[in-house]
Amino acid sequence: MKTQVAIIGAGPSGLLLGQLLSRAGVANVVLEQRSADYVLGRIRAGVLEQVTVDLLDEAGVGARMHAEGLPHDGVELCFDGQRHRIDLLGLTGKRVMVYGQTEVTRDLMAARAEAALPTVYEAENVSVHGFDGDRPVVRYTKDGAAHELQCEFIAGCDGFHGVCRASVPAEAIALHEKVYPFGWLGVLADVPPVNHELIYVNHERGFALCSQRSRTRSRYYVQCSLDDNAEDWSDAAFWNELKRRLPEATAAGLVTGPSIEKSIAPLRSFVAEPLRFGRLFLAGDAGHIVPPTGAKGLNLAATDVAYLWQGLADHYRGNGTALAHYSARALARIWKAERFSWSMTTLMHRFPDGGSFARKMQQAELAYLVSSPAAMTALAENYVGLPMD
Ligand code: APR
Ligand code: PHB
């Protein structure tokens, strides 16, 4: 089998890239190790920057997002028992769109299926070869049969644990990482959100987040120990802990119910440099990870894809300069989002060995933040997403 671009991974990065390339007339094949249902079963954040909304529209998959998504004009920070609203729209002229990543992925999958674009789910033993030359090859097995995909470029959209970054020689890549000493215990429940906008909580007992998927489905998180197991947390224990971290009046309005999903996610900051190795490109989680505090994961994946799509489309139009600049352009934006996500995580969480001084610094920064229009604007412009270059 031959194609122009082999895309490894059918998460948001791979599917969005495939959709944009197809609309630009660039042939591509998506190879995914899991089933479509398994991919859709992943529960991930869903706060979309305007840049991401525009890209999904450009890809022709924005209809349901506009119909069912929830535009949010503000976000709240809660500390010392007080809630403070950051007026995103008033401070930046922009809002964010709350629309679950699962739904973004579902819309992209449906569009790809409707266009009957070549997609191999449950591809096993995927391996990438020859990307340091002009004739890269992807090998995989499917239903026991060995296959070889000859291509001109490989897009590594295979996430943090994928095969593409792992196939790059160690001496050719630099890895930058910070692992945080806590996790997020998340619960999805079919109950109305406690507030119409998101609430990020800094509390003595730990961080909490009140988020949502719709007006009838909520997503909540509490910071937990990395030694915790989700199954050790009963629903009642979760709801009680969340209530202890919320102001009394807010906790009183919290509607609880049975969890339909409960899981613990570790927090990590990670960047690989560069993101291009000959004819292999890394995009999305394959190239970087952010702690979810800044809601940047999906948005960074989308802007990587935008840069890579533009570069590949230009290449096939006979202009290779954009492709040559992919890694530098993507990394410039990635590092700014990494900084914001790290700063929000450092500001809002209880660090086990942080000591009283670190706690005082958090309290001073939060007090300054909500008293300064300049500081709130700085937070707001990062949260809604910095302009693409
Ligand atoms: N072969 C084929 N597919 C693979 C392989 C492999 N060797 N390894 C991983 N994959 C697939 C995974 O099964 C997954 O479906 O690649 C896909 C990668 O998807 P994501 O991990 O969702 O990464 P990405 O598409 O970049 O999306 C980033 O997802 O993890 C969140 O917070 C993150 O919101 C961000 C978004
Ligand atoms: C979520 O809804 O899952 C979510 C929202 C905002 C975040 C992280 C997660 O910062």
Side-chain angles (χ1 to χ4, degrees):
M1 187 163 53
K2 284 189 177 181
T3 192
Q4 289 173 308
V5 181
I7 299 173
I8 316 300
S13 298
L15 291 172
L16 181 55
L17 179 62
Q19 186 67 9
L20 290 166
L21 288 178
S22 299
R23 290 168 71 93
V26 179
N28 62 88
V29 175
V30 170
L31 297 174
E32 165 59 50
Q33 67 178 359
R34 300 288 190 175
S35 69
D37 286 345
Y38 185 96
V39 174
L40 286 173
R42 295 186 185 118
I43 304 297
R44 297 276 170 69
V47 176
L48 309 184
E49 297 174 0
Q50 187 60 49
V51 167
T52 304
V53 169
D54 295 344
L55 205 54
L56 293 171
D57 284 335
E58 173 76 33
V61 297
R64 198 161 68 96
M65 169 184 61
H66 290 293
E68 299 176 15
L70 301 172
H72 280 203
D73 296 354
V75 67
E76 292 189 17
L77 299 182
C78 179
F79 58 96
D80 294 340
Q82 297 295 318
R83 291 167 47 177
H84 304 267
R85 185 172 186 268
I86 308 291
D87 180 6
L88 300 174
L89 185 61
L91 291 166
T92 69
K94 295 180 185 175
R95 51 171 59 97
V96 293
M97 173 75 82
V98 171
Y99 186 64
Q101 177 173 310
T102 303
E103 303 318 311
V104 171
T105 306
R106 196 189 311 278
D107 294 339
L108 286 164
M109 280 183 181
R112 189 164 183 93
E114 189 177 333
L117 296 173
T119 312
V120 182
Y121 285 101
E122 296 177 294
E124 297 174 309
N125 310 309
V126 175
S127 59
V128 293
H129 310 273
F131 51 81
D132 53 348
D134 290 339
R135 306 168 67 83
V137 166
V138 180
R139 295 192 181 98
Y140 65 95
T141 56
K142 171 71 178 171
D143 300 332
H147 296 267
E148 181 170 285
L149 176 61
Q150 295 174 15
C151 54
E152 295 164 13
F153 295 101
I154 301 172
C157 299
D158 49 348
F160 183 67
H161 300 288
V163 66
C164 291
R165 190 182 73 247
S167 299
V168 174
E171 64 273 12
I173 192 169
L175 306 178
H176 312 278
E177 185 171 52
K178 176 180 179 59
V179 178
Y180 297 89
F182 38 74
W184 279 18
L185 169 63
V187 158
L188 194 65
D190 281 331
V191 294
V194 72
N195 188 47
H196 68 292
E197 294 173 331
L198 273 59
I199 307 174
Y200 290 78
V201 184
N202 174 307
H203 189 275
E204 279 290 335
R205 298 179 62 82
F207 170 82
L209 172 59
C210 302
S211 183
Q212 55 198 255
R213 292 291 178 270
S214 71
R215 291 190 175 82
T216 59
R217 176 167 286 191
S218 299
R219 179 68 167 167
Y220 291 106
Y221 298 93
V222 295
Q223 174 184 343
C224 66
S225 163
L226 286 173
D227 299 329
D228 282 7
N229 295 304
E231 52 271 16
D232 296 338
W233 281 80
S234 68
D235 286 1
F238 177 84
W239 294 121
N240 290 336
E241 186 58 39
L242 176 61
K243 286 181 178 178
R244 294 181 72 173
R245 299 186 188 186
L246 293 172
E248 272 186 41
T250 306
L254 182 71
V255 178
T256 65
S259 60
I260 53 179
E261 194 273 350
K262 189 189 297 175
S263 56
I264 291 179
L267 276 68
R268 175 196 319 266
S269 297
F270 171 84
V271 180
E273 288 186 313
L275 296 175
R276 176 180 189 176
F277 309 90
R279 289 180 174 257
L280 169 66
F281 297 86
L282 301 180
D285 275 14
H288 45 77
I289 295 287
V290 283
T293 327
K296 291 299 166 200
L298 179 55
N299 294 299
L300 267 187
T303 45
D304 287 354
V305 165
Y307 291 135
L308 187 52
W309 154 59
Q310 290 163 0
L312 288 168
D314 281 1
H315 169 83
Y316 285 106
R317 286 194 286 261
N319 168 14
T321 49
L323 198 54
H325 297 146
Y326 164 71
S327 182
R329 284 179 79 190
L331 283 167
R333 184 174 180 86
I334 289 161
W335 280 115
K336 294 188 184 90
E338 289 282 348
R339 183 211 64 81
F340 175 66
S341 304
W342 163 80
S343 68
M344 281 283 282
T345 303
T346 305
L347 179 63
M348 299 304 291
H349 288 76
R350 192 95 174 80
F351 284 74
D353 55 2
S356 62
F357 185 79
R359 185 89 184 120
K360 287 294 184 184
M361 287 297 98
Q362 284 185 341
Q363 291 167 338
E365 184 168 349
L366 285 163
Y368 164 65
L369 175 60
V370 298
S371 69
S372 162
M376 284 188 283
T377 302
L379 183 148
E381 69 176 4
N382 281 276
Y383 194 85
V384 299
L386 299 175
M388 284 183 69
D389 69 358

